[in-house]
Amino acid sequence: MNAPTCPNCGAPITRVVDVPYGWWEWDKATGSYRMCTAATRVDVAPWVHVDCMGELRHFHPQNPVSDTAATAS
């Protein structure tokens, strides 16, 4: 069985991280770190697709895998 597809980028969800509060990335242009977040709203989704860092609101890695596991509303 294949991994479910990410609703953000369309790639298979083969790795997810639990980053509800975001992360910091180096910004070479400013010479400092900038805060990044995968959340698009206040009620943060805990899971994020590693490939695109998009939130996976309806996904949990312990849920049974199906073709609609990541995209269910």
Side-chain angles (χ1 to χ4, degrees):
M1 177 176 282
N2 294 328
T5 302
C6 177
N8 302 302
C9 69
I13 302 172
T14 56
R15 292 186 298 159
V16 297
V17 291
D18 186 357
V19 291
Y21 301 108
W23 65 96
W24 294 85
E25 288 186 7
W26 182 252
D27 185 340
K28 186 176 179 179
T30 64
S32 61
Y33 287 94
R34 65 180 171 86
M35 178 65 179
C36 299
T37 181
T40 58
R41 51 194 147 204
V42 175
D43 59 329
V44 179
W47 301 102
V48 174
H49 185 207
V50 170
D51 293 349
C52 70
M53 297 308 281
E55 67 179 16
L56 299 171
R57 185 149 302 276
H58 302 287
F59 176 86
H60 193 286
Q62 292 179 327
N63 288 350
V65 175
S66 71
D67 291 339
T68 59
T71 58
S73 296

